[in-house]
Amino acid sequence: MASCRGEGRVILDKLRLCFKAEPQLLETLDYMEIGESIYFNELSLVRINEDLGYFNVYCSYQLTNDEEVYFGKLKFNQKIAGERGNLFKDGTQKAWVKVENTVLYGSVERLRFIYTVEKELKLTLNNFTKVEQCRDVSFNLPRLIKRYLHDPEITTILNRHIVLDRKEKRDEIVYCYSGNLDHQLKYLTVYIKQKEAVDNPNEGLTLKAYNKKHEIETKKMHKRYILDYHNNPKSLYRFEVEANSEETSLYFSRMHIPISLDILFNQEIMEDMYYYFLWRVLRFRCGAKGHIAWKDILDRGINKHPSQGKKMISR
């Protein structure tokens, strides 16, 4: 078994973008029959739903065994959004592009096809609707986080507030166990949420630490490409953060970053956004040593008591 190849790198695991679309494009697409295709130079769309504006997006110039490469989905006129939810305040139509997960684990050039989608369909990026970022490590991160939370010598800062009463109920922190009849607590998943996300998963930030290899091998065999990406490691634990459009837009505004597709290819921005979101939801402090940086935890796996580690004040 090889070591975890992607350890130390922030990975983009889910991406859904919202664009402003021209009426002429959506009118053309709306008249297409299910299964019908339309080409825009290097890009092709295939309608996959009769009632809703759902289309598969293919990269026409990259062929695999004479087949076009699947890139993701284009959606508009979503019933769940309603008429108002499908329009911007100025009356402009919304269109969403969800990038296929395999693309995010492929070469950077595959993801760069998003520029072609924007150009050929004459879309204008409005926001990052859904972003999931993660760090993958080889040590048991969920149990380490639980240890930190349970250690009275470590100060827990939850949603930017110091936890003073350790006995107070915390709905923002959830422990989920699974296993077998002999070992019922074998696998631990830890969820840490902003208060907004407790009742509504579409709001606020949600952190999740779990055994990614176990999930793939028992529930998501179709995602074995993630294990291949990491050279099939002996163990693989993931710490992911899920952010919606409000959170990503707030981050870009505070950091004075213009919203554009270029952000996806700026590793410095993507990494800072990841650690910023972690920092907003959960952080730890150990006496005079100050804040324990998430990057330090994830880089080195501080299994010893943090009071023995170096002082870290950054997120």
Side-chain angles (χ1 to χ4, degrees):
M1 296 285 187
S3 60
C4 179
R5 186 189 76 177
E7 199 162 10
R9 179 174 175 268
V10 174
I11 298 171
L12 179 61
D13 184 67
K14 184 177 290 185
L15 178 63
R16 191 179 184 214
L17 304 167
C18 182
F19 295 87
K20 292 183 178 181
E22 295 187 355
Q24 184 177 356
L25 167 69
L26 301 188
E27 287 175 10
T28 300
L29 298 180
D30 206 29
Y31 281 104
M32 290 175 58
E33 300 289 337
I34 188 168
E36 185 178 352
S37 302
I38 185 171
Y39 287 82
F40 299 84
N41 294 320
E42 299 172 336
L43 177 153
S44 66
L45 301 176
V46 179
R47 185 160 197 165
I48 58 174
N49 186 287
E50 186 174 358
D51 298 326
L52 306 174
Y54 285 13
F55 294 79
N56 282 342
V57 181
Y58 292 92
C59 177
S60 305
Y61 73 92
Q62 293 181 349
L63 300 179
T64 303
N65 297 326
D66 296 327
E67 292 184 0
E68 296 169 326
V69 175
Y70 178 54
F71 181 78
K73 282 184 169 56
L74 170 72
K75 300 181 179 181
F76 64 94
N77 289 341
Q78 297 191 83
K79 284 186 178 180
I80 191 172
E83 185 175 353
R84 283 189 175 182
N86 284 300
L87 298 174
F88 290 103
K89 291 182 179 180
D90 62 1
T92 307
Q93 184 83 36
K94 295 179 182 178
W96 292 268
V97 173
K98 180 181 179 182
V99 178
E100 168 64 15
N101 192 247
T102 54
V103 172
L104 302 177
Y105 287 88
S107 66
V108 175
E109 290 308 312
R110 288 189 66 186
L111 182 56
R112 286 189 184 279
F113 188 69
I114 191 64
Y115 287 115
T116 301
V117 175
E118 182 184 48
K119 176 183 176 182
E120 295 295 342
L121 300 183
K122 298 179 180 179
L123 303 173
T124 302
L125 180 63
N126 186 76
N127 62 60
F128 285 45
T129 304
K130 181 74 70 175
V131 173
E132 273 190 19
Q133 296 173 281
C134 63
R135 277 281 307 269
D136 289 338
V137 297
S138 56
F139 59 91
N140 196 328
L141 180 65
R143 295 195 182 278
L144 180 60
I145 291 176
K146 182 182 176 183
R147 263 181 52 195
Y148 274 41
L149 290 168
H150 285 200
D151 191 334
E153 294 186 36
I154 297 177
T155 300
T156 295
I157 303 171
L158 181 63
N159 292 318
R160 295 180 294 170
H161 295 285
I162 296 175
V163 176
L164 299 175
D165 185 357
R166 296 184 57 83
K167 296 186 182 298
E168 183 180 352
K169 183 183 178 183
R170 298 291 172 183
D171 293 330
E172 305 99 308
I173 302 174
V174 178
Y175 303 110
C176 294
Y177 290 93
S178 63
N180 52 50
L181 294 181
D182 293 329
H183 194 170
Q184 299 171 350
L185 307 179
K186 186 174 184 179
Y187 302 104
L188 170 64
T189 297
V190 181
Y191 294 91
I192 309 102
K193 303 179 180 182
Q194 286 189 319
K195 288 188 175 181
E196 304 93 314
V198 172
D199 297 320
N200 187 346
N202 293 318
E203 295 185 4
L205 296 167
T206 297
L207 312 184
K208 180 182 178 183
Y210 62 107
N211 188 325
K212 186 64 177 177
K213 183 170 183 176
H214 173 68
E215 180 194 66
I216 293 172
E217 293 181 337
T218 59
K219 300 177 182 177
K220 298 183 178 180
M221 287 294 290
H222 63 286
K223 287 194 173 184
R224 283 202 62 88
Y225 56 84
I226 295 178
L227 298 181
D228 295 337
Y229 173 83
H230 287 297
N231 294 327
N232 194 24
K234 184 177 180 180
S235 61
L236 185 66
Y237 294 88
R238 173 162 288 190
F239 195 27
E240 67 185 28
V241 54
E242 181 179 310
N244 57 30
S245 60
E246 183 177 349
E247 295 298 331
T248 54
S249 296
L250 182 61
Y251 168 79
F252 297 142
S253 175
R254 286 181 173 177
M255 301 301 171
H256 307 288
I257 301 172
I259 295 180
S260 76
L261 294 177
D262 295 341
I263 292 171
L264 298 172
F265 307 97
N266 188 317
Q267 190 65 18
E268 183 178 351
I269 292 177
M270 295 297 287
E271 287 193 3
D272 185 77
M273 182 166 65
Y274 173 75
Y275 291 114
Y276 175 80
F277 288 153
L278 297 185
W279 181 84
R280 277 178 58 85
V281 181
L282 179 69
R283 47 196 153 116
F284 302 105
R285 192 173 66 194
C286 186
K289 295 293 181 180
H291 290 99
I292 309 168
W294 274 115
K295 191 174 189 307
D296 194 49
I297 296 173
L298 297 173
D299 279 350
R300 296 189 286 121
I302 307 176
N303 289 296
K304 57 187 178 182
H305 195 284
S307 64
Q308 300 173 28
K310 64 180 181 178
K311 180 178 179 181
M312 295 294 291
I313 59 174
S314 67
R315 60 175 178 269

